[in-house]
Amino acid sequence: NIYCPAEITNASGNEDFCIISLTPGGNFRWIYNLNGTANINDGCFSVFSGPDGNIYATGMLNNSGAGEDFTVISLDQSGTQRWAYIYNGTGNGSDMCYFGVAFDNAGNLYTLGHTKTSSNNEDYIVVSLKLINGSQRWIYTYNGTGNYDDIGHYIKLGSDGNLYTCGVTMGATSYDAAVISLDTAGNQRWVYTYNGPSDY
């Protein structure tokens, strides 16, 4: 079966976090949608099939008094919600879970994005959750040397059992490419950044 991330416009004219499932032949199976408590725009950015046969989706929900919250949703194959993980950063603003999810053999999930801090910048964030119930194992954040916006986009579990992530970080004068490696306990192994010749 096919599982697609989407945004669906609700009766209030705002967008809900949405997953659509189709058969391999393109026939409709079910639709799941979730509206944040603020009843304004929410979004689902990516969907993955887990090693346990369940569905895992990333994105953000707008919740009352909390702004955009980093969100991971798990569904079973029939479209019934198993759990929802929602994280509101210390800055109470824009927190997003982007495009990557990785799984290990111990029943853990790893995903990433950015979180708004109390100093009003966005930090690169990696979060680990338990597949069985969505409980948080750990959170890792990274603030680049420019002390501004840092964003994680994609994550993989390497053949060596470590995590490898990529995204962007604000350097001293511009955005730089960033690759960060962590172990599965959330400890930083190394950070590599690259500033292109145009310094932009």
Side-chain angles (χ1 to χ4, degrees):
N1 295 309
I2 299 164
Y3 305 93
C4 305
E7 296 171 355
I8 187 170
T9 303
N10 61 31
S12 300
N14 298 305
E15 295 167 349
D16 287 350
F17 184 111
C18 179
I19 302 165
I20 299 171
S21 181
L22 309 175
T23 68
N27 296 311
F28 177 83
R29 294 182 66 229
W30 49 257
I31 187 167
Y32 165 89
N33 66 287
L34 184 62
N35 185 17
T37 59
N39 196 32
I40 54 178
N41 291 340
D42 311 297
C44 181
F45 301 146
S46 63
V47 178
F48 296 84
S49 180
D52 57 0
N54 293 306
I55 307 306
Y56 298 89
T58 67
M60 66 85 181
L61 291 175
N62 262 294
N63 290 311
S64 299
E68 298 167 339
D69 289 344
F70 184 109
T71 301
V72 183
I73 303 291
S74 179
L75 311 178
D76 64 23
Q77 291 188 17
S78 66
T80 301
Q81 182 179 303
R82 298 175 60 237
W83 50 256
Y85 170 83
I86 298 170
Y87 175 76
N88 180 26
T90 58
N92 204 38
S94 178
D95 307 293
M96 301 270 190
C97 185
Y98 280 114
F99 312 112
V101 168
F103 305 94
D104 66 19
N105 293 327
N108 303 311
L109 173 155
Y110 307 89
T111 189
L112 77 174
H114 69 70
T115 182
K116 196 76 160 181
T117 69
S118 53
S119 59
N120 207 37
N121 63 298
E122 292 170 356
D123 283 356
Y124 201 112
I125 184 173
V126 182
V127 176
S128 179
L129 308 175
K130 299 293 289 185
L131 291 183
I132 191 168
N133 57 13
S135 61
Q136 180 183 295
R137 296 179 63 231
W138 50 258
I139 291 178
Y140 163 88
T141 59
Y142 174 77
N143 182 21
T145 57
N147 195 36
Y148 193 55
D149 292 345
D150 311 290
I151 302 169
H153 286 299
Y154 202 71
I155 186 167
K156 293 289 285 185
L157 183 69
S159 57
D160 60 357
N162 292 305
L163 297 165
Y164 296 89
T165 77
C166 64
V168 295
T169 182
M170 176 57 79
T173 58
S174 65
Y175 285 107
D176 297 340
V179 182
I180 300 176
S181 179
L182 310 175
D183 64 24
T184 54
N187 300 305
Q188 179 181 297
R189 299 176 63 235
W190 48 257
V191 175
Y192 169 84
T193 62
Y194 176 73
N195 181 21
S198 67
D199 193 34
Y200 179 71

